[in-house]
């Protein structure tokens, strides 16, 4: 998995980019924070190890909780909770856009895990199929499971994530910010160019390593 911070940052960026579509800024801000939290939740499935469920089992780590159906269930559940908690924020309450963003935030977790270079792959289509999936290229180094593992080996992982995935948060912040569009578009171009360079460099390093 990428680190939980990176899952949160990417989902926050996706939600933040949609802020101009929302008439109630306070509701949009709550939605952005909730999307960040929702994107971290699928990794609670590491608790499956403690009750003896194997990694590759459909209910194991990266199984049902990381599937597309799991994302719909999680997004819908959190949306229903938000509808109860936020009944009237600036005259608005969570609607269809909020539901869509929550589901996308939850789904982004499994889709990002598929970019990592370790583990069992993601059960994207559980329960229809137990197969585990990766993207054709996996440029993101897998994050160690657990806090101790992270402090021992996690910092280089986080550094790559900052270059490869966190630009999504920067682009979302630029897209969702009010004000003149030209400076924001220029900044977004700069971020996009740096991101393309980071991805190209990472893929080059992997190809070089495999060719040795
Ligand atoms: Zn995960």
């Amino acid at each position: 998995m990428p680190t939980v911070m990176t899952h949160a940052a990417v989902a926050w960026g996706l939600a933040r980019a949609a802020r101009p579509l929302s008439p109630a800024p306070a509701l949009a801000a709550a939605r952005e924070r909730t999307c960040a939290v929702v994107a971290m939740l699928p990794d609670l499935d590491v608790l499956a190890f403690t009750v003896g469920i194997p990694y590759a089992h459909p209910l194991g780590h990266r199984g049902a909780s990381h599937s597309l159906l799991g994302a719909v269930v999680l997004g819908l559940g959190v949306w229903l909770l938000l509808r109860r908690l936020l009944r009237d924020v600036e005259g608005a309450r969570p609607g269809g856009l909020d539901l869509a963003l929550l589901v996308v935030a939850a789904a982004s977790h499994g889709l990002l895990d598929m970019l990592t270079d370790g583990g069992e792959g993601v059960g994207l289509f559980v329960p229809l199929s137990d197969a585990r999936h990766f993207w054709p290229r996996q440029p993101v180094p897998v994050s160690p499971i657990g806090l101790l593992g992270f402090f021992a080996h996690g910092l280089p992982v986080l550094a790559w994530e900052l270059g490869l995935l966190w630009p999504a948060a920067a682009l979302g912040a630029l897209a969702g910010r009010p004000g003149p569009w030209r400076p924001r578009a220029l900044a977004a171009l700069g971020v996009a160019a740096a991101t393309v360079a980071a991805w190209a460099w990472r893929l080059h390093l992997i190809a070089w390593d495999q060719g040795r």
Side-chain angles (χ1 to χ4, degrees):
M1 58 183 179
T3 59
V4 285
M5 294 84 79
T6 297
H7 282 298
V10 171
W12 179 88
L14 288 170
R16 177 76 191 190
R19 184 175 278 218
L21 303 175
S22 183
L27 184 60
R31 176 178 69 212
E32 288 150 20
R33 287 193 293 272
T34 310
C35 280
V37 173
V38 161
M40 295 191 278
L41 293 182
D43 275 343
L44 286 177
D45 66 2
V46 292
L47 294 173
F49 290 124
T50 65
V51 291
I53 299 176
Y55 198 145
H57 189 276
L59 295 178
H61 182 43
R62 288 185 167 181
S65 66
H66 286 50
S67 68
L68 294 177
L69 184 64
V72 171
V73 171
L74 176 59
L76 185 60
V78 173
W79 181 73
L80 289 171
L81 189 66
L82 276 190
R83 295 262 296 177
R84 285 192 73 86
L85 295 175
L86 307 175
R87 287 165 192 266
D88 181 9
V89 181
E90 296 165 345
R93 68 182 303 198
L97 177 64
D98 305 270
L99 174 61
L101 287 170
L102 287 165
V103 171
V104 168
S108 73
H109 185 111
L111 296 173
L112 288 189
D113 275 5
M114 287 169 59
L115 284 171
T116 59
D117 62 1
E120 285 280 352
V122 172
L124 203 60
F125 302 110
V126 171
L128 299 176
S129 158
D130 293 348
R132 298 298 184 104
H133 300 274
F134 284 108
W135 292 113
R137 303 281 182 93
Q138 297 113 42
V140 179
V142 72
S143 172
I145 292 175
L147 212 54
L148 280 179
F150 178 77
F151 282 114
H153 310 287
L155 288 181
V157 174
L158 188 56
W160 274 116
E161 291 176 2
L162 281 173
L164 299 172
L165 300 177
W166 281 64
L171 290 173
L174 287 166
R177 207 179 152 136
W181 67 271
R182 271 176 218 275
R184 286 187 290 136
L186 272 178
L189 269 178
V191 172
T195 311
V196 169
W199 276 74
W201 178 239
R202 178 64 181 160
L203 291 173
H204 164 76
L205 286 180
I206 291 170
W208 180 81
D209 201 36
Q210 287 170 347
R212 280 196 301 164

